Amino acid sequence: MIALAATVLGVAPLGFMPDIWWLAVAILAAGLGISATLISSCRIAESVVPAANRTEGMSWLTTAASVGTALGAPVAGLLIDFGGAGAGYLFAFSAGLAAVTITILGFKTWRCQRIVSG
């Protein structure tokens, strides 16, 4: 959750960078949490999905990431065409906030399930 939140917060200022060099630094900082977020997602799936269904669980993670990218890229492109780069970064930030919200809600459910079952 921390890595995801850090990535999302790192995306917030991207639309306000004064030049390409500051933008590169900001993108680097925002991207630092991505691998930790992906690793955590796999670890959570591994711990909640029964061993017999792990391949399917990991496939769902990959599918979700692929669908999000496939749908998000053209939406961001349209927003950039009509509203400039800032609109694209705002969309990325909004999608990140949605991911944080889903993660928080899912974590509460996952934690309750672990307490009850474990």
Side-chain angles (χ1 to χ4, degrees):
M1 245 187 302
I2 293 169
L4 176 59
T7 301
V8 172
L9 290 174
V11 171
L14 293 179
F16 307 104
M17 294 294 113
D19 61 37
I20 191 74
W21 299 109
W22 283 109
L23 182 62
V25 171
I27 288 173
L28 175 67
L32 290 176
I34 292 174
S35 61
T37 301
L38 294 173
I39 292 166
S40 297
S41 299
C42 290
R43 179 64 184 113
I44 290 169
E46 182 181 27
S47 68
V48 299
V49 176
N53 301 90
R54 286 227 179 96
T55 301
E56 181 182 358
M58 297 302 176
S59 296
W60 277 111
L61 284 176
T62 303
T63 300
S66 299
V67 169
T69 301
L71 296 176
V75 171
L78 287 171
L79 290 170
I80 291 167
D81 286 346
F82 291 109
Y89 293 125
L90 181 60
F91 174 68
F93 179 66
S94 300
L97 287 178
V100 168
T101 302
I102 291 166
T103 301
I104 289 169
L105 296 174
F107 183 73
K108 287 180 181 179
T109 302
W110 175 63
R111 190 168 177 191
C112 289
Q113 287 173 349
R114 286 190 63 138
I115 291 170
V116 169
S117 66

